[in-house]
Amino acid sequence: MKEKQDILDRIGRRSGMTVPEHYFADFSAEMMSRLPEKPVESSGKVLPRSVWQRVRPYIYLAAMFSGVWLMMWLFNDISGRVGNPSMEDNPILAEGFSNDQFFDSYISNEVDQYDLLEDMYNDGVTLTSFQQL
């Protein structure tokens, strides 16, 4: 710690970079005096705006509102699904549970995995049909 203080004392804390006095106070006036005069060209003629230039703000506004609407619709749709799923959301499951044979065979009784796989194979379900999904 003593060596660091000695080094800083030997080198000094000034970096050598200084700004002349009143430099920033007179900066803008000095800069304006050094710039060359540029004549302002004004023909007084206004160019007509194209159809796209006139319609563009309204198209951008419509795109913005439609994006916000779609985003709100998506959030509302997602929040509705997360809550309480029902059978109305999946008609295939609803049809399966309404079938008494399916319910009695697979839901109410204990089903052996081998029997379930054998029934699926007999119905035409194969491993390749799952890989295509």
Side-chain angles (χ1 to χ4, degrees):
M1 185 84 173
K2 177 108 172 102
E3 290 180 25
K4 285 187 178 181
Q5 289 177 350
D6 292 340
I7 291 173
L8 290 176
D9 289 339
R10 282 188 283 168
I11 296 175
R13 294 185 183 261
R14 293 189 55 161
S15 64
M17 308 280 283
T18 59
V19 177
E21 289 185 29
H22 305 292
Y23 178 77
F24 290 109
D26 302 332
F27 181 76
S28 62
E30 183 69 27
M31 182 59 75
M32 291 302 288
S33 68
R34 291 184 183 188
L35 291 175
E37 288 291 325
K38 183 177 179 184
V40 178
E41 297 178 16
S42 175
S43 63
K45 185 168 87 173
V46 178
L47 297 174
R49 293 174 58 188
S50 68
V51 173
W52 172 247
Q53 288 174 336
R54 285 183 273 152
V55 175
R56 183 174 47 191
Y58 300 109
I59 291 176
Y60 289 165
L61 188 66
M64 181 194 66
F65 279 117
S66 62
V68 168
W69 181 81
L70 285 172
M71 182 179 62
M72 296 303 289
W73 178 80
L74 179 69
F75 290 153
N76 188 28
D77 188 46
I78 289 172
S79 67
R81 289 183 186 180
V82 172
N84 295 324
S86 66
M87 286 297 181
E88 295 172 357
D89 294 340
N90 194 338
I92 297 172
L93 282 178
E95 182 183 334
F97 281 117
S98 66
N99 186 350
D100 291 334
Q101 180 185 2
F102 174 81
F103 188 79
D104 291 338
S105 299
Y106 297 109
I107 303 302
S108 63
N109 298 333
E110 290 293 324
V111 177
D112 186 19
Q113 185 178 9
Y114 178 78
D115 292 335
L116 181 63
L117 290 173
E118 186 176 348
D119 286 346
M120 289 174 63
Y121 182 73
N122 290 337
D123 288 340
V125 177
T126 62
L127 184 61
T128 57
S129 65
F130 285 113
Q131 291 174 348
Q132 291 173 356
L133 297 176

